[in-house]
Amino acid sequence: MVRVAVVDRELCKPDKCSLECIRFCPINRTGGKAIELGEDGKPVVYEDVCIGCGICVKKCPFNALSIVNLPDELEKMLIHRYGPNAFKLYGLPAPRQGAILGVIGKNGTGKTTALRILAGELKPNLGIFDREPSWDEIIKRFRGTEIQAYLQRLAEGKIRAAHKIQYVDLVPRRVKGTVGKLLERADQRGVSKEIAKFLGLDRLWDRDVRRLSGGELQKFLVAAVLSRDADIYLFDEPSSYLDVRERIKVARAIRRFAPKNAYVVVVEHDIAMLDYLSDYVVVMYGEPGVYGIASKPYGVRVGVNNFLKGYLPAENVRIRSEPIRFHVREAPATVTAGREKYLEWGELLVKRDGFVLRAEPGELQKGEVVGVLGPNGIGKTTFVRVLAGELEPQEGYVYKPREELKVSYKPQYVSPAMFEGKTVEQVLREANPAALAPGSWLYTELVRRLGLHRLLDRRADSLSGGEMQKLAVAAALAREADIYLLDEPSAYLDVEERLTVARAIRRIVETRGVAALVVEHDVAVQDYISDRVMVFTGTPGKEGHAHRPMGLREGMNMFLKELGITFRRDPETGRPRVNKEDSYLDRLQKRLGEYYYI
Ligand code: ADP
Ligand code: ADP
Ligand code: SF4
C-alpha cells in the first residue's frame, strides 16, 4: 500500500491549536519523525515514515489532515500532485475524437484539474517536485493506455483547446463589451451568429455582458467556446443557472456545432443532461480534496447506472455504500380524500414591475412533495415567496388550516446577511441541535455528506457561494417544521450532494409526514422526490401562469410537451432518460401524447 497524507492548507491553523498532530504521533513519540512543522509553519507528513495509524487525523481540531492507504499499483497512474501533502490525481479521462465524453463525480475529485491538463493549461508533474518531468516521461507512464495518443499530441503542441470554465460569474469582471462584439471577436469558424441564434442570444446581441443574468452568461460562454477553432472543446458544468429547456438546448448546441472530428469533454452534475449529451462517460471517484481517480470509459447508459449503483465493475470498487434507485410512484392525480391540507391558496394574482403571475388554486398536503417546474423568469420564486409570506398577492389568499404549522424556507438566493456573523456550527445548532450530534441521521446523512462538518468553525457569511447554499439547504432541512419550501436546493451542488439532498427530502417527508414544495431544474432530482408537480407556463419576464399541482405523470406530460422532449425510464435503475430527438421512442411517445414514459 501507498500512504497518501494531505494537509488542507486552509483548514490547518497551527496558531489556534497546540500542534496535537505532532505531539501525539506514535512515531514522533518514540524518537522518529513522521510529522513536523514545515517551513511555512504548517505540518509536513513524511509519507514513507508514517505508519498511517490516523491518530493525527483524529486529534486535529480542524479536520485539516487526511491519511489514506491506496494500492501500490495505482501509483503507476499518478499524473499530477499539487505538491507534497497535497491532492493526487490518478489517470485522466480519455477523450475520443469525434465523440462526447461525459465526466461525472463528486467535487474535489480532480475533474477541473483533469480538464486543465487536457486543455494544456497545466503540465502534469507525475508527483515529482524537484524537477519538471519531460513529456517523454509522462507519455511513457501512460503507454498502452487510451490516453497515450492524446498526450502525444498535447506534447507536440498539436492540441488547441477551447475551455468553458465552471464559474461563469467571473467573466463580466474579466471581459468588457457587448455580447455581439465579444462573440465576433471569439469567432474563428464563422459560426457565432448561427450559434447565437440557436441559443436565443441574438436578442441580446447589443447587450453589455455585465448586464447578463447567470443563465444568459452561461449560454454566451458556450457560444463563444463553440465559435473557436479548436481540437478539444471542454465544458465545465454547462447547465448551471439554466432551466430545463435551456439545458436541452445547450446540449443540442454542443452536439450540433462542435466540429465533427473534435474531442469534446463535458463535466456535468445533472445526470439527465449528461446522459443526453454524452456518447460515453468516465466516473471520477476518490476522496474529495485528497485523491481522485478517473475510471475507465463506460458506455453512457452503463456508466451513469454504475455511478448510481455505487459500484464500478471494471475497477472492482465500491464508490458509495448504497445504490440509488428511482421509484415509479403511483401518485394521486389530484387531492387525496381524507389527507390533511397543510397549505392552501386561492386563485392568486401577483404583480411585480411589469410582470404578472396568475396561479390556479391549489394545496400542499401532509406527506407529499410537490415539485415546481418551469422556465426561468416565469414567477416560480415569486410564487414561493408568496407562500412563505414574504410577498403579498394583489388578489387571492394563502391559508394555513392550522396556525401552529411551521414553515421552513430556503430562498433561491442565499446571501451572507442571512447568517449575520454566525459560525456554521451556530447556524446548524439553531436549526436543530441534532444536526450536530454524531450518530444522528441528520449529522451522518446530511451535514457530513455535504461536507459541512469540516466547516463548523468557519463564519457562515465568509463561505463561498456554493458552501453557503449547502449550509442553507442543510439548515432548512434540519429545522423541525411541517411545511418545507425549497427554492432550487440543488443549485451549486455536485451530483452526489444532489442525491443526498433528494434522499433527505424523501426521508423527512416520509418519516415525519410533513409537506414540501420544491423548485428544481434537475429533472432526475425532481423525478426522485416529487409526488405531484406544478407546472409554470407563460412568457418569461412578462406573465406567468401557475397550474394547480397535478399527478407526476400528468404534470410531467404537460411540462415535457411544451418542451417537445420525451423521456423513457431506465429499466435497471428507474432513472429518467431523455429520448434522442426523432428516435423511434421519441416519435412513438409523441404520437401517443405520452411524453413521460409509456
Ligand atoms: P473538482 O473539479 O472535481 O471539484 P478540482 O480539480 O477542482 O476538483 O480539485 C481537486 C482538489 O485539488 C481540490 O480539492 C483542491 O483541494 C486541490 N487543488 C486544486 N487546485 C489546487 C492548487 N492550485 N494547489 C493545491 N491544491 C489544489
Ligand atoms: P423564476 O423563479 O421563475 O425564475 P421569478 O419569480 O424570480 O421567476 O421572477 C419572475 C419575474 O419577476 C421576472 O421577470 C423578474 O424580473 C421579476 N422580478 C423578480 N424579482 C423582482 C423584484 N424584486 N422586483 C421586481 N420584479 C421582480
Ligand atoms: Fe503519525 Fe499516525 Fe499521523 Fe502518520 S498517521 S503522521 S504515524 S499520527
Side-chain angles (χ1 to χ4, degrees):
M1 291 297 237
V2 172
R3 196 104 48 234
V4 180
V6 172
V7 181
D8 189 309
R9 324 295 304 170
E10 248 184 77
L11 295 177
C12 175
K13 295 178 202 76
D15 49 334
K16 288 196 185 151
C17 71
S18 38
L19 301 180
E20 289 88 342
C21 56
I22 295 170
R23 288 197 294 121
F24 287 95
C25 170
I27 301 291
N28 285 20
R29 292 174 76 119
T30 51
K33 194 153 277 178
I35 178 167
E36 66 176 339
L37 278 191
E39 280 171 11
D40 64 350
K42 298 202 172 173
V44 182
V45 180
Y46 300 108
E47 289 167 338
D48 45 348
V49 182
C50 160
I51 53 167
C53 66
I55 289 176
C56 57
V57 177
K58 290 203 194 77
K59 290 286 176 192
C60 174
F62 303 115
N63 289 305
L65 278 151
S66 307
I67 311 256
V68 294
N69 296 310
L70 295 174
D72 285 327
E73 65 266 30
L74 205 54
E75 285 310 298
K76 292 188 217 130
M77 298 301 292
L78 177 62
I79 181 138
H80 190 72
R81 191 170 199 185
Y82 279 110
N85 294 157
F87 177 82
K88 281 177 118 172
L89 177 64
Y90 296 97
L92 277 180
R96 291 176 190 165
Q97 230 167 339
I100 300 181
L101 162 62
V103 178
I104 188 170
K106 52 185 163 189
N107 283 342
T109 53
K111 298 184 300 300
T112 302
T113 306
L115 252 50
R116 291 183 57 219
I117 294 174
L118 292 174
E121 295 164 14
L122 174 70
K123 186 179 176 195
N125 63 14
L126 305 179
I128 299 167
F129 310 124
D130 49 1
R131 62 183 175 85
E132 189 180 305
S134 68
W135 275 110
D136 280 347
E137 276 175 276
I138 297 166
I139 292 162
K140 202 166 147 205
R141 181 164 296 187
F142 292 90
R143 187 177 289 160
T145 68
E146 206 185 333
I147 193 77
Q148 181 191 348
Y150 186 85
L151 290 174
Q152 189 77 48
R153 290 188 61 180
L154 199 58
E156 290 163 6
K158 289 189 180 149
I159 297 284
R160 287 162 309 149
H163 186 178
K164 191 208 73 72
I165 54 164
Q166 180 183 1
Y167 299 105
V168 298
D169 339 36
L170 295 178
V171 170
R173 273 184 253 159
R174 292 193 193 158
V175 296
K176 282 194 175 50
T178 61
V179 169
K181 283 261 158 12
L182 288 165
L183 280 183
E184 270 166 10
R185 202 181 308 156
D187 195 356
Q188 297 167 328
R189 300 172 55 217
V191 290
S192 67
K193 278 238 159 64
E194 201 187 339
I195 300 175
K197 187 148 190 275
F198 187 87
L199 289 173
L201 290 167
D202 45 345
R203 286 178 288 111
L204 306 171
W205 198 254
D206 295 318
R207 187 164 301 175
D208 192 311
V209 281
R210 278 171 304 183
R211 290 192 43 239
L212 297 182
S213 69
E216 289 162 351
L217 266 177
Q218 185 71 268
K219 286 186 283 185
F220 161 71
L221 282 183
V222 168
V225 164
L226 282 172
S227 304
R228 301 273 305 283
D229 182 18
D231 304 289
I232 187 165
Y233 294 82
L234 302 136
F235 297 91
D236 203 346
E237 298 190 28
S239 82
S240 311
Y241 300 110
L242 300 180
D243 62 39
V244 179
R245 180 196 295 272
E246 294 166 324
R247 288 178 191 199
I248 297 286
K249 208 169 239 176
V250 160
R252 285 183 182 158
I254 293 174
R255 274 211 169 275
R256 181 189 288 211
F257 294 106
K260 292 298 160 252
N261 58 349
Y263 300 94
V264 181
V265 185
V266 181
V267 171
E268 182 49 60
H269 295 297
D270 176 325
I271 55 173
M273 165 136 169
L274 182 91
D275 179 85
Y276 178 61
L277 180 56
S278 313
D279 297 310
Y280 66 110
V281 301
V282 163
V283 178
M284 296 289 295
Y285 60 100
E287 208 174 303
V290 181
Y291 72 96
I293 304 174
S295 80
K296 297 199 167 63
Y298 289 94
V300 64
R301 188 181 78 82
V302 172
V304 174
N305 284 0
N306 288 341
F307 173 77
L308 289 173
K309 285 192 241 167
Y311 176 71
L312 302 178
E315 286 76 13
N316 188 22
V317 292
R318 184 150 283 294
I319 56 169
R320 192 183 320 101
S321 55
E322 69 294 325
I324 289 167
R325 231 199 110 73
F326 288 72
H327 295 280
V328 188
R329 246 187 293 282
E330 274 319 316
T334 170
V335 187
T336 318
R339 236 195 212 187
E340 191 183 347
K341 289 180 190 170
Y342 268 16
L343 199 61
E344 270 184 81
W345 58 94
E347 204 167 297
L348 302 177
L349 175 76
V350 193
K351 287 189 182 162
R352 317 186 69 191
D353 271 0
F355 176 79
V356 184
L357 171 70
R358 285 188 183 80
E360 295 178 7
E363 65 294 300
L364 199 55
Q365 305 170 112
K366 177 177 166 58
E368 75 168 351
V369 179
V370 170
V372 173
L373 284 164
N376 283 331
I378 203 78
K380 302 182 300 299
T381 293
T382 303
F383 177 73
V384 179
R385 292 187 62 194
V386 170
L387 293 192
E390 281 200 357
L391 285 178
E392 278 291 320
Q394 271 70 32
E395 285 173 27
Y397 63 89
V398 176
Y399 171 67
K400 260 195 296 186
R402 284 192 283 130
E403 204 38 55
E404 69 274 19
L405 291 173
K406 274 205 304 216
V407 175
S408 175
Y409 169 47
K410 200 291 285 181
Q412 179 184 13
Y413 295 108
V414 177
S415 71
M418 272 173 67
F419 304 116
E420 322 146 355
K422 289 178 198 154
T423 64
V424 171
E425 182 170 355
Q426 279 171 313
V427 172
L428 289 171
R429 190 178 306 285
E430 279 169 25
N432 190 340
L436 295 169
S440 75
W441 85 265
L442 273 177
Y443 181 75
T444 39
E445 301 286 318
L446 191 64
V447 173
R448 271 191 72 96
R449 284 190 192 238
L450 295 182
L452 295 168
H453 63 300
R454 287 171 164 270
L455 308 172
L456 292 177
D457 66 327
R458 292 266 295 274
R459 273 181 58 143
D461 50 12
S462 72
L463 298 176
S464 73
E467 290 165 340
M468 226 182 271
Q469 276 282 348
K470 281 191 240 181
L471 176 61
V473 171
L477 286 171
R479 246 172 252 134
E480 296 226 358
D482 307 286
I483 302 160
Y484 292 81
L485 303 174
L486 308 171
D487 199 345
E488 298 201 25
S490 80
Y492 295 100
L493 267 56
D494 71 24
V495 57
E496 196 70 51
E497 292 161 346
R498 289 176 191 204
L499 297 167
T500 290
V501 166
R503 240 191 335 228
I505 294 173
R506 277 316 305 177
R507 180 177 175 136
I508 292 166
V509 168
E510 282 166 19
T511 57
R512 302 206 1 250
V514 302
L517 182 110
V518 186
V519 179
E520 180 57 62
H521 292 302
D522 185 315
V523 174
V525 170
Q526 208 50 289
D527 180 82
Y528 186 91
I529 60 175
S530 299
D531 297 293
R532 296 195 296 159
V533 294
M534 268 184 90
V535 181
F536 280 58
T537 53
T539 312
K542 282 212 179 92
E543 48 99 22
H545 182 97
H547 296 260
R548 68 190 160 78
M550 301 174 201
L552 192 60
R553 188 179 183 128
E554 188 190 358
M556 282 298 229
N557 221 352
M558 172 188 246
F559 176 65
L560 297 175
K561 199 169 190 163
E562 265 236 336
L563 299 186
I565 55 174
T566 57
F567 272 95
R568 66 190 182 285
R569 224 175 241 295
D570 177 69
E572 234 181 312
T573 56
R575 71 186 163 94
R577 304 189 71 196
V578 184
N579 290 322
K580 295 264 186 291
E581 214 177 351
D582 231 16
S583 63
Y584 170 75
L585 264 183
D586 186 52
R587 281 180 286 139
L588 175 70
Q589 287 181 230
K590 280 179 179 161
R591 207 163 53 234
L592 295 173
E594 294 284 359
Y595 286 70
Y596 193 57
Y597 316 130
I598 35 176

